[in-house]
Amino acid sequence: MSNSVKEGGGGLYYAVNHHGELTSLYQLTMDELRQIKSDTFHCPNCHERLLIRAGPKVAPHFAHFPKSNCVLYKGESVAHEAGKWDLYHWMKRQSYNVELEVYVKEIQQRPDILLTFREKKIALEYQCSAISIKEITKRNQAYLKEGIFPLWILGINHLKQQSHRNFLLNDFLRSFLYYFNDHFHLYFYDPDRKQMIVLSNLHYTGKPFVYGIVNDYPLPSFKFPQLFNSKKSSLKYPLTHSWEKLLYNYRTRYKAKVSSLEYQFRQYVYLNGHHFSLIPSVCYLPVPGQLSLNMKPYIWQTRLLMDHFMKKSVGEIGQFPSIFTPPTINQYQVDVTMQYVNLLDGLGVLKKINQNQWVKKKDIIFHQNMKNALEDDKNLINQLKKFTKNS
């Protein structure tokens, strides 16, 4: 094998030396680099032997030989390596006890960074590539079982912005949600700009987008605890230009091709003698925890009312079953059923008695035609504006 290294191959900031220790070239002088060039170093990912590259115009780094099969050599994780190294030194400068690529034998996991913070272990994973949701869940469960808190910071390539405050939230990103200070968060890091990006105050605005606030923080001046200290914004939920539009589109735009879940929902409504476009307006309410569900709001809300509310008499006591929502990484589980009950209470549809029961205050029926449905939608939006303002 030739001793040359392919130009443009993925450079590594650290390697494993002959003692099995992670070694970096950080802050070494040219004389020191020349002295260790003959030593043996291996890739922590594929375990192949590495070379040291350094020069007047080349930042010191480890490199693979040509024809290597390692994904790092192919350049697929260059951004990952740079970001991981930045985050490691960022926490080092704050005097935290951090270890890079340490192997946790009990769960056979090797987090990018293992941090001890206020006597708690935190596994920081800097995720640039796409991995399966099954793998994310598996790692989280293993960490939590071992008493280690998993903290995922995503590569900036995963942050997709549709407009000023609208962002993509697919199933992959939903797997990395955190819930702190009464709202949802996602974390990103941009190694090129050296900035931590916190996406917070997230609200559902129609799959696959969410409404939120993005804050950029220069890494050198940003402190680790600030990741968890963001305050809930006073910005009101965008009912006027978001939810009203969603409801109108649902009423007036027919989609021939729908998911199997929505097809089953339409069939269920048909079999009960109604058309899905004429559902009661209160079957499409802006519940804060909606973004944690991979199910459209009108499907589960209509089913709840049809199965557990409409057949009851006014004054009769009832309750809704809980709808399962997957917990966030920090184990917060949204109770969307209770959020829905609270909204129905505020709109005068029912009266909440306690955490599990309510009294029906008025009948809710399907609309007979589109004109009446659209009029009722407008009245509902006005009610919601007053209710959220008073809340």
Side-chain angles (χ1 to χ4, degrees):
M1 180 181 287
S2 169
N3 285 337
S4 63
V5 178
K6 179 182 176 182
E7 291 294 324
L12 300 179
Y13 290 92
Y14 60 91
V16 178
N17 64 19
H18 62 282
H19 294 299
E21 303 166 332
L22 278 173
T23 303
S24 78
L25 305 179
Y26 186 66
Q27 293 182 332
L28 292 185
T29 65
M30 291 303 295
D31 286 340
E32 290 171 327
L33 287 168
R34 280 191 286 269
Q35 290 175 17
I36 67 168
K37 267 198 170 183
S38 60
D39 291 351
T40 302
F41 298 95
H42 292 88
C43 173
N45 180 66
C46 69
H47 309 297
E48 293 176 1
R49 187 172 177 179
L50 300 173
L51 293 173
I52 293 176
R53 295 192 69 197
K57 296 182 180 180
V58 179
H61 64 274
F62 296 100
H64 288 82
F65 286 93
K67 299 182 181 179
S68 169
N69 292 318
C70 183
V71 295
L72 303 185
Y73 170 73
K74 295 175 181 178
E76 295 175 9
S77 297
V78 174
H80 175 262
E81 294 299 303
K84 179 166 59 177
W85 193 248
D86 285 348
L87 295 171
Y88 172 76
H89 283 286
W90 170 58
M91 288 185 283
K92 266 287 190 183
R93 287 193 296 269
Q94 297 175 69
S95 300
Y96 291 123
N97 178 13
V98 290
E99 298 174 276
L100 201 61
E101 292 278 3
V102 64
Y103 183 67
V104 184
K105 182 179 179 181
E106 292 78 5
I107 54 176
Q108 299 181 339
Q109 296 282 346
R110 191 185 295 274
D112 290 331
I113 299 168
L114 189 63
L115 162 72
T116 302
F117 178 69
R118 296 176 183 172
E119 299 182 356
K120 293 182 179 179
K121 294 284 187 182
I122 297 175
L124 191 155
E125 296 278 13
Y126 180 54
Q127 194 64 41
C128 292
S129 61
I131 58 175
S132 70
I133 295 172
K134 182 179 180 181
E135 177 62 23
I136 299 165
T137 303
K138 176 184 174 183
R139 290 194 207 177
N140 286 334
Q141 290 175 346
Y143 285 135
L144 291 170
K145 185 178 180 180
E146 194 60 26
I148 300 173
F149 180 76
L151 175 61
W152 296 82
I153 297 178
L154 303 172
I156 193 63
N157 56 302
H158 293 300
L159 180 59
K160 308 295 183 183
Q161 193 165 356
Q162 184 194 37
S163 61
H164 178 53
R165 285 203 171 101
N166 279 284
F167 305 87
L168 174 72
L169 184 74
N170 52 26
D171 291 341
F172 174 75
L173 291 173
R174 189 179 285 108
S175 303
F176 299 105
L177 283 172
Y178 291 87
Y179 193 88
F180 297 109
N181 302 323
D182 299 324
H183 58 108
F184 293 97
H185 298 71
L186 283 170
Y187 301 109
F188 303 85
Y189 178 64
D190 185 347
D192 292 332
R193 295 189 300 146
K194 308 295 182 188
Q195 284 191 319
M196 187 74 72
I197 296 98
V198 180
L199 192 58
S200 61
N201 289 272
L202 300 175
H203 297 282
Y204 175 89
T205 55
K207 194 176 179 181
F209 295 100
V210 292
Y211 180 87
I213 296 173
V214 61
N215 286 301
D216 296 351
Y217 301 100
L219 195 66
S221 60
F222 189 65
K223 303 301 181 185
F224 180 71
Q226 288 178 263
L227 283 173
F228 317 105
N229 291 338
S230 62
K231 296 181 180 178
K232 191 168 184 178
S233 170
S234 59
L235 190 67
K236 295 296 182 182
Y237 188 78
L239 283 170
T240 53
H241 64 276
S242 174
W243 205 265
E244 190 171 4
K245 183 179 179 181
L246 287 176
L247 184 50
Y248 181 80
N249 288 342
Y250 172 75
R251 296 276 193 215
T252 60
R253 295 185 181 180
Y254 174 74
K255 290 184 178 180
K257 293 183 178 181
V258 295
S259 67
S260 60
L261 184 64
E262 185 151 2
Y263 177 78
Q264 291 171 17
F265 163 71
R266 288 182 179 183
Q267 290 297 108
Y268 174 79
V269 174
Y270 283 141
L271 291 173
N272 280 274
H274 305 292
H275 192 275
F276 65 86
S277 68
L278 298 176
I279 60 173
S281 301
V282 292
C283 291
Y284 205 148
L285 295 183
V287 173
Q290 175 62 43
L291 64 84
S292 64
L293 278 174
N294 191 17
M295 183 193 306
K296 293 178 179 177
Y298 52 83
I299 295 178
W300 65 268
Q301 292 180 20
T302 303
R303 291 295 297 257
L304 279 183
L305 290 185
M306 290 182 69
D307 292 346
H308 305 282
F309 183 88
M310 291 182 178
K311 295 177 183 178
K312 293 187 179 296
S313 302
V314 173
E316 192 174 348
I317 295 174
Q319 64 184 68
F320 293 131
S322 295
I323 294 175
F324 173 79
T325 56
T328 60
I329 293 176
N330 60 319
Q331 301 302 288
Y332 174 77
Q333 200 159 14
V334 183
D335 190 343
V336 292
T337 303
M338 189 51 56
Q339 291 179 348
Y340 187 51
V341 167
N342 291 337
L343 272 177
L344 292 175
D345 187 314
L347 295 170
V349 174
L350 52 77
K351 179 64 179 177
K352 183 179 172 183
I353 301 174
N354 53 46
Q355 195 70 7
N356 298 313
Q357 291 184 312
W358 41 262
V359 175
K360 182 173 179 177
K361 293 186 68 177
K362 65 179 183 182
D363 285 318
I364 296 296
I365 59 173
F366 274 74
H367 297 294
Q368 296 301 307
N369 56 64
M370 187 60 66
K371 180 182 178 182
N372 291 339
L374 293 174
E375 287 177 354
D376 197 35
D377 292 347
K378 288 182 178 179
N379 293 331
L380 175 68
I381 292 294
N382 290 330
Q383 279 185 280
L384 282 170
K385 290 176 184 176
K386 293 178 183 178
F387 176 66
T388 53
K389 183 178 180 181
N390 293 334
S391 297

